[in-house]
Amino acid sequence: MSTYVYGITASSHPSLPSAVGGVGDPPRQLRMLKQGDLAALVSDAPEGLRPKRRELLAHSNVLAEAGASGCVLPMRFGSVAPDDDTVTGVLAERAEHYKERLAALDGKVEYNIKASHAEEAVLHRVLSENPEIRAITEANRQAGGGTYEERLRLGEMVVAAVKAQEAEDATDVQHTLEPAADAVSVGPESSGWLANVSFLVDRGGVETFLTAVEQLRKGHPHLDLRLNGPLPPYSFVEPGPAEHAGTTLGAESAEE
C-alpha cells in the first residue's frame, strides 16, 4: 500500500496521541518511520484521495498537533510515496538537508499575505495622483462624455496607471514586511492578487510582524490584505521525500 507523508521531524519527536487521525474515511492511523536522526510522520494512503475540505483539515490538523511538540517540515497535501521503504530511503539520502532545514525552521512559523486592490479606492488614488488623467476626465465630463476616441484613450490611461500602481504596491508589501521576517518566499502570480508573499517569522517576533501588517493596512487604504497564519512553514521547505521519490503530489496545502 502507498504511504502518505505529512511531514519530517527529528526521530526524538514524540508520537502523536492515538486520538489524532490522518486523512481518509475512516481516518488512517498515524505512524512514525524512523531513519537515523530523522523520522517521517505518515499513514497508509487512502485510495481516491481528493482535496476535499475534510481531508485538507485532517492534513493540517496532523501538522498542527505535531508542530506543538517540536519542529516539523510540512509536506503538501497529497504527498504520497510508493511504500515505507521509499520514504526511509529518501530520509537517508537527504539526511543532511533535512537536518539543516529542521534547525533553520525551529521555532518559526509562516504567514502568507495576499494583496489586491479595492477598486474604488485605487481609482480615486490614480485620479488624485495623475493630473493628466484628471484633466481628460474633466474635459470629457464637460463635453457630455467625450468622443469614443477620447473615452478609449482615457480608459487605456487608467488601466496603465492601475497596473503601474499594482507593481508599486506589490513592492511595498514585500519591502514593508521583510524587516519583520527571517525569510521571504514570493508565491506564484495570479490574476486575483497583485502580491502573494509568504514570510518566515520567529515565534518571538510574531507581534512585531502583525504590527507591521497593521501599519501596512493603515498606510495603504486602497489595498485589501488577506493575512493567513500562523502556518507550518510550507513555503520554506525544499523538495520533500514524496517529490524527491518521483511520486505524485496532490492539491495545494490547506493554507492556500
Side-chain angles (χ1 to χ4, degrees):
M1 177 175 285
S2 299
T3 302
Y4 188 98
V5 186
Y6 299 86
I8 298 169
T9 187
S11 59
S12 58
H13 194 286
S15 298
L16 293 183
S18 58
V20 180
V23 297
D25 186 15
R28 299 302 191 263
Q29 184 176 0
L30 299 173
R31 298 180 280 116
M32 296 280 282
L33 296 180
K34 295 186 179 182
Q35 173 63 47
D37 295 330
L38 298 171
L41 182 59
V42 306
S43 70
D44 292 342
E47 294 184 5
L49 183 66
R50 296 291 182 269
K52 296 181 179 179
R53 178 174 175 79
R54 179 191 173 284
E55 305 293 7
L56 292 168
L57 289 175
H59 179 95
S60 179
N61 183 57
V62 168
L63 289 170
E65 290 285 345
S69 303
C71 186
V72 178
L73 304 181
M75 297 295 105
R76 299 282 179 176
F77 176 85
S79 296
V80 178
D83 51 40
D84 288 2
D85 288 344
T86 301
V87 177
T88 54
V90 176
L91 289 182
E93 181 183 348
R94 302 270 286 164
E96 293 308 312
H97 167 74
Y98 290 132
K99 286 189 284 187
E100 182 277 329
R101 286 287 81 202
L102 283 168
L105 298 179
D106 189 26
K108 297 178 174 60
V109 293
E110 175 175 334
Y111 282 88
N112 175 261
I113 290 280
K114 290 183 172 68
S116 60
H117 274 153
E119 186 174 351
E120 289 190 11
V122 76
L123 288 175
H124 177 77
R125 184 183 182 92
V126 165
L127 286 172
S128 66
E129 295 185 354
N130 193 309
E132 186 178 5
I133 290 179
R134 286 204 311 273
I136 295 175
T137 300
E138 179 60 22
N140 285 356
R141 187 188 66 80
Q142 293 183 2
T147 65
Y148 170 78
E149 289 77 12
E150 290 168 338
R151 295 196 303 272
L152 180 63
R153 180 188 174 211
L154 177 60
E156 291 172 344
M157 291 179 65
V158 170
V159 168
V162 169
K163 284 194 173 298
Q165 187 67 51
E166 286 180 352
E168 179 182 327
D169 289 333
T171 299
D172 284 350
V173 167
Q174 181 171 338
H175 287 180
T176 300
L177 300 179
E178 205 166 23
D182 289 354
V184 177
S185 176
V186 178
E189 293 185 2
S190 167
S191 59
W193 311 102
L194 62 88
N196 174 17
V197 190
S198 291
F199 298 87
L200 186 67
V201 180
D202 189 278
R203 290 184 186 274
V206 165
E207 287 303 317
T208 298
F209 180 79
L210 295 180
T211 297
V213 173
E214 289 308 308
Q215 291 174 343
L216 178 66
R217 279 197 172 104
K218 291 178 181 177
H220 296 72
H222 60 291
L223 286 182
D224 285 331
L225 296 178
R226 172 183 160 189
L227 174 66
N228 197 7
L231 304 165
Y234 288 99
S235 300
F236 301 91
V237 179
E238 313 220 358
E243 292 176 86
H244 191 73
T247 56
T248 301
L249 291 180
E252 288 300 304
S253 59
E255 89 275 14
E256 297 297 333

